[in-house]
Amino acid sequence: MLTVELLGPLHVSVAGRPVELPAGRLRALLAVLAMSAGRTVSADRLATAVWGTDVRGDARANVRTNIKRLRRALETAELIAARPGGYLLAAEPDHVDALRFGRLLDEAEAVPDPVTERSRLAAALELWRGTPFDGIRSDWLEQSVAPALQERYLTALERRVDLDLASRSHPDPTKLAELAERHPLRESLWTRLLRVLESAGRPAEALERYETIRRRLAAELGADPSPELRQLHADLLAGGAPGAIARQALPGGRGGVPRQLPPAVDGLAGREAELTALDTLLGPPGERRSRPPRIALIAGTAGVGKTTLAVHWAHRVAGRFPDGQLYIDLCGYDPSGAVIPPGVAIRELLDALQVPPHQIPDGSAAQAGLYRSLLAGRRMLVVLDNVRDAAQVAPLLPGASGCLVLVTSRDHLAELVMTYGAYPLTLGLLPPEEARRLLADRLGHDRIATEPAAADEIVRRCAGLPLALAIVAARAAIHPTHPLAELADELADTLGALDRAVDVRAIFSWSYQILSSTAARLFRLVAGLRPGLGSTVDAAASLAGVPVALVRAPLAELARANLLTEHAPGRYACHDLLRAYASELCEAHDADRDAARHRIVDHYVHTAYAASLHHHRHLDTLAPAAPGTGVSVTDFASPEAATAWFTAERPALLATLRIAADLRLDQHICHLAQAVSVILHRRGHWHDRAETQRAALAAAQRLGDPMEETRALRNLAAALADLGRFNEAHTNLDAALQRSHDDPADQAWTHYYRNLVHGLQGRQSDALDAASRAHDLFDQVGDHVGQAITLTDLGWYHGRLGDHGLALDLCEQALVLHRKFGNRPYEAHTWSCLADTHLQMGDPLGALPRYRRAVDLFRELDDPYAEASTLAHLGACHHHAGDHAAAYGHWRDAHTLLSNLDPSATDQIHTQLTTIDKFAADAFLGPLNRRAGAPR
């Protein structure tokens, strides 16, 4: 049995007997073989990894000679097996500490409970003995493998500190302090150090350390500390119970303060008693209550103004919750039945808390645990609107005091009150004087004063229901010269006797019946059938099956009648009671409603496709929407416009998949999943990307379409790789290869995706092998676009492995082809690869113009990850060229971009800035460029 330890000075043993290898190439040869234990490594790859570009004579002969020497040193030939074209180290991966380290970290990321996660992290960290590959001479190991291992080690250590603090353990700050000094600009590490010092009762030392990092950031980057570090500093100055600050850590978060409250609704009349009751829960400003409340429940009938009151009060007290405000509409009474499940809600809240997608665990229990950990010890206001029942809201409750959860529901949620101690506030109908004030606010006090009796009659007829009053007020505002008495008479005819309880549907009908026939039909379709929480003008036109020009006027008519609300320019929504009413009308009057649903699916498929073309040119041709079908497709003038549409319509796109499944439009599901795949990747919605590809896979299997099935398997593999689930990714790629065994074109794309997954894992030799196989198959089938894409990847990996001349040649060939085919995302990526190779060769002046071209293209394509990565490369170039001011300017720009996206990437920039050499730049820029620059 062979054991190889690489996470420190090299230790080798065979059958328990230590083996001492002589200094030199044998150590590097064994290390390279060990990093691929159980897999064949080609002779060419071994030569490049061990000798770099300095190999003399016949490279393969050198490898053969040194393999023989290594076998003799190990005193057994069986441990290194010759394979066609290469060699295999016959060792279990778990007997190589670096590989075992990676496996344990992968398991830690996947387990659902913190106790098991901490155990896996501890086992992994115990393997670390110092600098990886200490005493081994290999540029490849030093430049590519060691930095990736170092980053995983630091991330794991930080996560274990978070878990220790959350469980009220007290980590030793000594090791953290040593690491912080070795990584002087890694803010995430310094944040943990300060929290650990505070938890150990050493706040003065924590304040001194803060000053150290603040001065370094100012001197090196001209930047202030992150918002989280600044808040931590303020908390340290404020003092408090020992350990309180330490438990405020946000494991995985990016430090931004969420401000999610929707705009306060105009026209809140009265409700003074209810507002006072809510204020009493918090006590006077500045007072620190011994046991602050956790949950307030606003319950009441539909349309009584629960959301209006909740949002108004939340804005009023937002300053009492300095860590932010979260808001989510759980759609508990959506007429379509599309209630937001707790698991989906938690993912949305984790997004709002700016948790990087790769740090969100699988499984609802693990995600709920992370959500509670993020809120532990913080002062946040969480508004959970339109809750159906206690089961829907219970997983969203923080685990400790300090936060206030404000819940609205039509139900009194007795279980929430009894089990969790929620403070119940029942919202009744508006008293007459407050209802009259609401009417006056909408119509003007003079108009009310002119006809006081008619105003009182309207108030009585609406029975104090704010939604009814708002609709009647809208009707009156549309006709400012009509006497209020006429409106009161119409209401009396509609509602009947005065002693009858208000029927809000009757008031809806009273307003609906005066609509033009075109507006009435549009109301039924848009309010009754639309997916998601809002509708664009183009979506409304598609539902109606008419040109866009013919829906603008009826949409404006519906907005004037308060049956739809234009909550953002060109986007319309309505109260769920109106949705239910419209849905009933649609069921009764629109026999063609399934045709309308088919059109809205077509609209989203074709519009998503049009938007995706701004981000990824290599999409299968999609036949345009058939003329005369009434499907409107949105055009986009820029990548930014396409991205903005995706951001706003993401919930609707996911809902559209469900509609397509109901209508058995499986081909549409496959097209939509393909269209949204790249943008969901680039914007960090990796869980959504995986779900859409699972839907596509199921649809393809129902269709019996092997091509769509393999495409879905590949895209699912890419999504799983983004999430760090590499074993599952490879399993899906294995399945894709099996299903396409007789289709070389499909196999080519599968090998290409295999190269991407290997690249994300840092397995560059394996990635090069997969890219080579993909390129050969693309060549065989005559797919020139695929050839061009893989040429770029081949150039990238050859450059990473030290063959710079071949890398430049391959990328130059690729660049010509990308320009020919108009593949701008890969053109940008290729410019970056070319520049990177020049930088590795010690030619920063040659790299500069190529990086500038890549930055310009990535900016045009609205790809912030790739833009930031390339800006950091550009900074490295300027530094090597001696222009330090320009270097720091580019590094600051990259830091700013990534501070809003992913702290792990920002930390990698910090690491680069500490060492100021190309090897550290490789450690940061290589993996990030592969992740962001290559369209997937």
Side-chain angles (χ1 to χ4, degrees):
M1 180 180 70
L2 173 67
T3 300
V4 183
E5 296 178 13
L6 302 168
L7 298 178
L10 178 67
H11 289 169
V12 183
S13 65
V14 178
R17 175 180 52 81
V19 174
E20 187 66 29
L21 294 181
R25 301 300 185 182
L26 290 190
R27 289 172 168 246
L29 185 60
L30 178 61
V32 173
L33 286 167
M35 289 304 296
S36 296
R39 301 193 312 274
T40 301
V41 183
S42 72
D44 290 341
R45 212 74 69 248
L46 284 169
T48 302
V50 174
W51 286 274
T53 56
D54 192 34
V55 61
R56 293 181 175 84
D58 186 334
R60 290 174 179 257
N62 278 346
V63 170
R64 281 196 303 273
T65 299
N66 281 277
I67 287 288
K68 291 177 182 177
R69 292 178 58 210
L70 183 56
R71 285 170 172 161
R72 285 197 299 271
L74 297 174
E75 298 183 1
T76 176
E78 290 77 20
L79 288 175
I80 304 176
R83 292 288 185 266
Y87 299 88
L88 176 148
L89 186 68
E92 291 294 330
D94 254 15
H95 294 165
V96 178
D97 61 350
L99 301 183
R100 178 175 171 78
F101 173 79
R103 178 184 66 78
L104 287 167
L105 293 186
D106 290 342
E107 290 178 0
E109 292 173 5
V111 295
D113 66 287
V115 174
T116 307
E117 180 184 5
R118 191 194 179 286
S119 173
R120 297 288 192 277
L121 289 171
L125 294 171
E126 284 175 2
L127 297 171
W128 201 268
R129 297 178 294 108
T131 303
F133 314 112
D134 190 11
I136 298 174
R137 291 167 44 206
S138 166
D139 287 349
W140 176 69
L141 293 173
E142 181 184 352
Q143 296 171 27
S144 298
V145 183
L149 286 170
Q150 180 76 26
E151 178 57 32
R152 292 206 76 183
Y153 170 75
L154 291 172
T155 301
L157 183 71
E158 290 168 351
R159 176 60 180 159
R160 194 182 73 175
V161 170
D162 291 331
L163 293 171
D164 287 341
L165 292 174
S167 65
R168 299 178 184 267
S169 298
H170 298 288
D172 181 5
T174 305
K175 188 170 187 177
L176 272 180
E178 293 172 356
L179 284 170
E181 288 300 327
R182 289 207 296 270
H183 302 273
L185 297 178
R186 187 181 177 96
E187 290 181 76
S188 58
L189 192 58
W190 284 82
T191 298
R192 270 72 175 189
L193 173 60
L194 267 58
R195 293 189 186 281
V196 168
L197 287 170
E198 190 275 341
S199 75
R202 295 154 63 178
E205 184 178 346
L207 286 169
E208 291 176 6
R209 298 278 185 174
Y210 175 84
E211 281 303 304
T212 299
I213 182 63
R214 185 192 65 77
R215 288 194 299 268
R216 284 177 178 168
L217 288 170
E220 297 291 332
L221 299 180
D224 292 327
S226 67
E228 187 182 357
L229 262 176
R230 294 199 302 272
Q231 182 62 51
L232 176 55
H233 179 240
D235 290 341
L236 286 166
L237 291 173
I245 294 174
R247 293 187 291 276
Q248 294 178 15
L250 271 176
R254 294 177 225 176
V257 178
R259 308 287 187 191
Q260 281 202 305
L261 294 178
V265 181
D266 291 335
L268 180 71
R271 301 301 192 193
E272 293 302 328
E274 290 84 357
L275 289 168
T276 299
L278 291 169
D279 286 341
T280 303
L281 293 176
L282 299 181
E287 176 184 305
R288 295 183 68 88
R289 312 196 78 185
S290 59
R291 190 176 183 277
R294 290 186 56 215
I295 309 166
L297 166 64
I298 301 175
T301 188
V304 79
K306 299 182 294 297
T307 299
T308 300
L309 175 65
V311 171
H312 177 87
W313 184 75
H315 277 284
R316 182 158 130 171
V317 300
R320 307 281 293 276
F321 298 94
D323 293 316
Q325 303 87 44
L326 301 173
Y327 172 89
I328 187 167
D329 183 351
L330 294 171
C331 301
Y333 300 93
D334 190 285
S336 69
V339 178
I340 304 296
V344 173
I346 285 173
R347 283 206 302 274
E348 292 292 330
L349 292 170
L350 291 175
D351 283 346
L353 290 166
Q354 300 182 354
V355 180
H358 65 275
Q359 292 186 10
I360 298 177
D362 287 324
S364 57
Q367 290 171 6
L370 175 58
Y371 165 71
R372 287 191 293 271
S373 296
L374 294 173
L375 267 60
R378 299 180 75 83
R379 301 187 298 279
M380 299 189 77
L381 177 61
V382 183
V383 181
L384 306 176
D385 200 12
N386 288 318
V387 173
R388 186 172 189 85
D389 52 38
Q392 187 187 23
V393 74
L396 310 181
L397 301 177
S401 60
C403 297
L404 174 64
V405 180
L406 187 57
V407 176
T408 74
S409 179
R410 296 182 196 176
D411 192 277
H412 285 82
L413 302 183
E415 184 181 343
L416 202 65
V417 176
M418 292 185 295
T419 305
Y420 299 98
Y423 173 83
L425 177 66
T426 300
L427 195 61
L429 300 171
L430 280 174
E433 63 276 11
E434 294 185 2
R436 184 185 176 98
R437 194 188 316 164
L438 185 153
L439 204 60
D441 288 345
R442 298 294 181 94
L443 299 179
H445 292 270
D446 291 344
R447 190 172 180 188
I448 298 299
T450 302
E451 296 185 81
D456 289 342
E457 178 70 4
I458 290 172
V459 166
R460 285 195 296 273
R461 291 293 176 182
C462 290
L465 194 67
L467 179 60
L469 282 161
I471 289 175
V472 174
R475 173 85 171 270
I478 292 171
H479 305 288
T481 60
H482 286 194
L484 293 181
E486 289 185 11
L487 289 176
D489 290 342
E490 290 180 27
L491 269 178
D493 292 340
T494 301
L495 297 178
L498 275 175
D499 58 356
R500 176 184 171 188
V502 66
D503 181 353
V504 72
R505 278 177 169 73
I507 292 181
F508 293 165
S509 69
W510 175 73
S511 194
Y512 168 78
Q513 287 167 5
I514 66 166
L515 295 172
S516 66
S517 60
T518 302
R521 178 172 179 266
L522 193 64
F523 170 69
R524 296 194 301 270
L525 296 175
V526 171
L529 296 181
R530 64 177 170 81
L533 298 175
S535 178
T536 64
V537 176
D538 285 339
S542 297
L543 280 164
V546 299
V548 169
L550 298 184
V551 298
R552 297 190 185 278
L555 282 172
E557 183 180 345
L558 292 170
R560 288 194 300 271
N562 216 36
L563 294 175
L564 291 181
T565 301
E566 191 174 11
H567 62 89
R571 298 190 65 83
Y572 295 84
C574 63
H575 193 282
D576 55 7
L577 277 180
L578 283 163
R579 289 195 67 188
Y581 176 64
S583 182
E584 292 170 6
L585 291 174
C586 189
E587 185 79 20
H589 298 292
D590 297 295
D592 63 342
R593 56 188 174 277
D594 277 352
R597 296 170 79 210
H598 195 147
R599 287 194 298 271
I600 195 64
V601 172
D602 273 336
H603 161 76
Y604 278 112
V605 169
H606 285 88
T607 301
Y609 185 87
S612 292
L613 289 176
H614 284 276
H615 296 276
H616 183 21
R617 300 294 301 181
H618 194 75
L619 290 171
D620 283 355
T621 302
L622 181 66
T629 59
V631 176
S632 177
V633 179
T634 307
D635 291 325
F636 302 98
S638 66
E640 292 82 4
T643 299
W645 180 85
F646 267 119
T647 301
E649 292 286 8
R650 183 167 61 95
L653 289 164
L654 299 176
T656 299
L657 286 171
R658 294 190 289 271
I659 295 174
D662 289 342
L663 296 174
R664 299 185 178 182
L665 299 175
D666 289 327
Q667 195 67 60
H668 289 70
I669 294 173
C670 294
H671 288 322
L672 185 56
Q674 183 192 8
V676 301
S677 182
V678 167
I679 188 64
L680 289 176
H681 159 69
R682 285 191 177 170
R683 307 313 292 183
H685 299 297
W686 298 340
H687 288 275
D688 285 346
R689 188 188 189 199
E691 288 304 314
T692 60
Q693 297 309 320
R694 289 189 183 100
L697 180 58
Q701 289 169 342
R702 289 192 295 269
L703 287 169
D705 187 331
M707 184 177 295
E708 290 291 0
E709 188 175 353
T710 55
R711 189 202 319 277
L713 285 165
R714 287 193 296 266
N715 285 331
L716 179 56
L720 293 169
D722 278 335
L723 294 167
R725 293 161 57 181
F726 298 116
N727 289 339
E728 291 178 68
H730 285 299
T731 298
N732 280 279
L733 292 173
D734 291 341
L737 281 176
Q738 184 178 4
R739 283 159 177 75
S740 62
H741 61 88
D742 58 350
D743 187 338
D746 245 11
Q747 286 197 326
W749 282 111
T750 303
H751 286 299
Y752 168 73
Y753 273 76
R754 180 88 73 184
N755 126 60
L756 294 178
V757 175
H758 281 317
L760 287 178
Q761 288 181 276
R763 293 163 55 176
Q764 294 174 356
S765 295
D766 293 330
L768 181 57
D769 288 338
S772 297
R773 297 183 71 180
H775 181 268
D776 291 345
L777 286 166
F778 282 132
D779 183 40
Q780 178 183 327
V781 300
D783 185 338
H784 302 302
V785 172
Q787 284 180 279
I789 288 174
T790 48
L791 278 174
T792 296
D793 284 21
L794 288 170
W796 170 266
Y797 288 119
H798 278 295
R800 296 286 91 189
L801 294 170
D803 194 340
H804 301 134
L806 182 56
L808 291 175
D809 181 55
L810 292 169
C811 287
E812 292 287 358
Q813 294 178 46
L815 194 59
V816 172
L817 294 173
H818 294 321
R819 287 170 165 174
K820 176 181 178 181
F821 302 130
N823 193 341
R824 289 171 68 76
Y826 249 97
E827 180 187 345
H829 179 45
T830 306
W831 279 115
S832 181
C833 292
L834 280 167
D836 179 77
T837 303
H838 276 278
L839 185 57
Q840 289 186 68
M841 294 167 63
D843 178 20
L845 295 180
L848 279 171
R850 293 166 174 84
Y851 277 137
R852 290 194 189 104
R853 179 60 179 149
V855 166
D856 291 343
L857 285 170
F858 284 132
R859 192 169 289 148
E860 290 175 21
L861 294 164
D862 192 27
D863 190 339
Y865 283 95
E867 182 185 344
S869 168
T870 314
L871 281 168
H873 273 92
L874 201 50
C877 281
H878 281 292
H879 175 80
H880 285 290
D883 189 346
H884 301 300
Y888 288 125
H890 289 305
W891 280 328
R892 277 197 303 272
D893 291 344
H895 183 281
T896 300
L897 269 174
L898 287 169
S899 292
N900 298 322
L901 294 171
D902 189 331
S904 62
T906 306
D907 291 339
Q908 288 170 314
I909 286 183
H910 289 170
T911 301
Q912 174 194 358
L913 298 180
T914 64
T915 54
I916 316 293
D917 63 26
K918 71 185 184 69
F919 299 149
D922 289 341
F924 160 65
L925 297 165
L928 189 61
N929 246 353
R930 290 292 304 137
R931 179 178 291 277
R936 291 196 279 136

